[in-house]
Amino acid sequence: MKAALLISDGFEEAETVIIYDVLKRLGIGVDIISCSGLIMTNAYFSLSINADKRIEDIMEFVYDAVIIPGGPKSTISLSSNQKVISFIKRHEALEKWLCALCSAPARVLGMNQLLKGRQYTCSGNLWKGCTDGIYTGEDIVVDGNLITGRGLGVSFEFAFRIANMMTGRPDEVVAQEEHIYFRPEKTD
Amino acid sequence: MKAALLISDGFEEAETVIIYDVLKRLGIGVDIISCSGLIMTNAYFSLSINADKRIEDIMEFVYDAVIIPGGPKSTISLSSNQKVISFIKRHEALEKWLCALCSAPARVLGMNQLLKGRQYTCSGNLWKGCTDGIYTGEDIVVDGNLITGRGLGVSFEFAFRIANMMTGRPDEVVAQEEHIYFRPEKTD
């Protein structure tokens, strides 16, 4: 199994790296895909991460999941990048997992009519600009092959949910949550 | 205010980037310091992050906090790196914040007698190898200028606690927690 993490300069670095790390822990391959033209990227708080590939290099590849983290500058850029939208549409047609966090559900998917009437969540008031999809305001929403999350503070929940859906192994997901001392519902 | 994040190849990428991101959100400067000799680093799951500086370049600098994330290979390397231990001891003598997460409290501080009888926490059973410090097993422990955390799943709690102690502005910390939809004690 393999996931493509789509980022453009200005991406939210901690959202991106939490998703990357959690999926790796569940044995899922992850390619970080730069959609800014260069392998060396520059995040929201200027962290410099070297991507695995560029979007130009993977236009024929098929992944089991396409995942889009937030970061305002990144999601605005991704939403108008025709290579990115073509890549997402091809995976959507193949019924692969389509996952978006923070500003990405509204900006990248909603603005391109890719929510297709499905339930979703996103950050802030961005849902107000969307004519597509049904906004619920929950932390995490799964509707068919679409998985959306609200923002940075629920990135672990978002990543573990993706891993759960991709692997179909909730026991392994819970074991990993416990291994890293993550408790989705804290009681102590 | 400025913090130094000390990493060596094999560092836990999500722990590192969550701390970096949260401190930046609270207006704290962060230098990611490579202690592997090169600016381009290679994390636990092979993520490649470009550090800001190398430990060799900052031996005369003074930071308000020294922070050490986990990752077994990184903390084993840091614990035997005399530049790193000298850097930490200098900041400890200046009573700066000393913060360690996951395997770092036991491996980097404990193995170098830098816990100095203070209460701390760490991952797994590593505390059993420490003759220094008082292990509590809590998620986050603050004892004087020492702040320790248990592992990846409590990285947000660890980072927000550091920000709280450094800034002395709990109101701003809570506002940022809410802004990113992070709830330390989940009730819904």
Side-chain angles (χ1 to χ4, degrees):
Chain A
M1 274 179 303
K2 198 151 196 179
L5 255 172
L6 305 187
I7 61 171
S8 190
D9 279 354
F11 63 99
E12 220 297 330
E13 46 263 80
E15 290 177 8
T16 302
V17 177
I18 292 168
I19 298 164
Y20 173 88
D21 192 306
V22 167
L23 296 194
K24 288 275 192 176
R25 284 176 182 273
L26 271 300
I28 300 165
V30 185
D31 276 349
I32 296 182
I33 310 298
S34 167
C35 305
S36 302
L38 299 174
I39 287 292
M40 188 185 292
T41 66
N42 189 30
Y44 185 53
F45 288 114
S46 301
L47 185 71
S48 171
I49 292 177
N50 300 303
D52 297 298
K53 296 181 170 66
R54 302 175 313 145
I55 188 75
E56 290 82 353
D57 307 326
I58 58 157
M59 291 306 288
E60 307 299 318
F61 288 25
V62 176
Y63 290 85
D64 301 292
V66 177
I67 309 173
I68 315 163
K73 189 177 155 202
S74 175
T75 54
I76 288 169
S77 171
L78 294 174
S79 71
S80 62
N81 182 327
Q82 288 313 306
K83 289 190 191 75
V84 168
I85 301 307
S86 165
F87 182 83
I88 295 171
K89 283 183 175 171
R90 187 161 57 82
H91 283 79
E92 169 75 0
L94 293 167
E95 299 183 355
K96 302 300 183 185
W97 294 106
L98 182 53
C99 316
L101 182 61
C102 199
S103 58
R107 285 236 180 84
V108 183
L109 303 181
M111 300 304 271
N112 286 285
Q113 305 297 314
L114 288 167
L115 292 168
K116 298 184 180 174
R118 288 173 288 193
Q119 292 197 328
Y120 77 102
T121 192
C122 69
S123 58
N125 290 324
L126 291 172
W127 61 275
K128 291 185 179 173
C130 281
T131 54
D132 185 19
I134 301 161
Y135 172 78
T136 72
E138 293 166 279
D139 280 352
I140 309 291
V141 177
V142 181
D143 189 349
N145 65 321
L146 178 70
I147 306 173
T148 50
R150 209 168 175 207
L152 174 56
V154 297
S155 295
F156 279 109
E157 289 86 342
F158 178 70
F160 278 119
R161 186 69 68 94
I162 295 170
N164 211 335
M165 303 303 286
M166 286 183 76
T167 66
R169 294 296 301 270
D171 51 336
E172 289 182 13
V173 170
V174 169
Q176 280 297 325
E177 287 179 343
E178 290 175 353
H179 178 67
I180 66 165
Y181 309 106
F182 179 70
R183 293 179 296 277
E185 301 290 335
K186 310 229 170 179
T187 54
D188 60 350
Chain B
M1 276 178 303
K2 198 150 196 179
L5 254 172
L6 305 188
I7 60 171
S8 190
D9 279 354
F11 64 97
E12 222 296 331
E13 47 263 78
E15 290 177 9
T16 303
V17 177
I18 291 168
I19 298 164
Y20 173 88
D21 191 307
V22 166
L23 296 194
K24 287 275 193 174
R25 285 176 183 273
L26 272 299
I28 299 165
V30 185
D31 275 349
I32 296 182
I33 310 299
S34 168
C35 305
S36 302
L38 300 173
I39 286 292
M40 188 185 291
T41 67
N42 188 31
Y44 185 54
F45 289 114
S46 301
L47 186 73
S48 171
I49 292 177
N50 300 304
D52 297 299
K53 295 181 170 67
R54 302 175 313 144
I55 188 74
E56 291 82 354
D57 306 326
I58 58 158
M59 291 307 287
E60 307 299 317
F61 288 25
V62 176
Y63 290 85
D64 301 292
V66 177
I67 308 174
I68 315 164
K73 189 178 155 200
S74 176
T75 54
I76 288 170
S77 171
L78 293 174
S79 71
S80 62
N81 183 327
Q82 289 314 308
K83 288 190 191 75
V84 169
I85 302 307
S86 165
F87 182 83
I88 295 171
K89 283 182 175 171
R90 188 162 57 81
H91 283 79
E92 169 75 0
L94 293 168
E95 298 183 356
K96 302 300 185 186
W97 294 106
L98 182 54
C99 316
L101 182 62
C102 200
S103 59
R107 285 236 180 84
V108 184
L109 304 182
M111 300 303 273
N112 287 285
Q113 306 297 314
L114 288 166
L115 292 169
K116 300 186 179 173
R118 289 173 287 194
Q119 293 198 327
Y120 76 102
T121 191
C122 69
S123 57
N125 290 324
L126 291 172
W127 61 276
K128 291 185 178 172
C130 280
T131 54
D132 185 21
I134 301 161
Y135 172 77
T136 71
E138 293 166 279
D139 281 352
I140 309 290
V141 176
V142 180
D143 188 349
N145 64 322
L146 178 69
I147 306 173
T148 51
R150 209 167 175 208
L152 173 56
V154 297
S155 295
F156 278 110
E157 289 86 343
F158 178 70
F160 278 120
R161 186 68 68 92
I162 295 171
N164 210 336
M165 302 304 286
M166 287 183 75
T167 65
R169 294 296 302 270
D171 51 335
E172 288 182 13
V173 170
V174 169
Q176 279 299 325
E177 288 179 342
E178 290 175 353
H179 177 67
I180 66 164
Y181 309 107
F182 178 70
R183 292 181 296 277
E185 302 289 335
K186 310 227 171 182
T187 53
D188 60 351

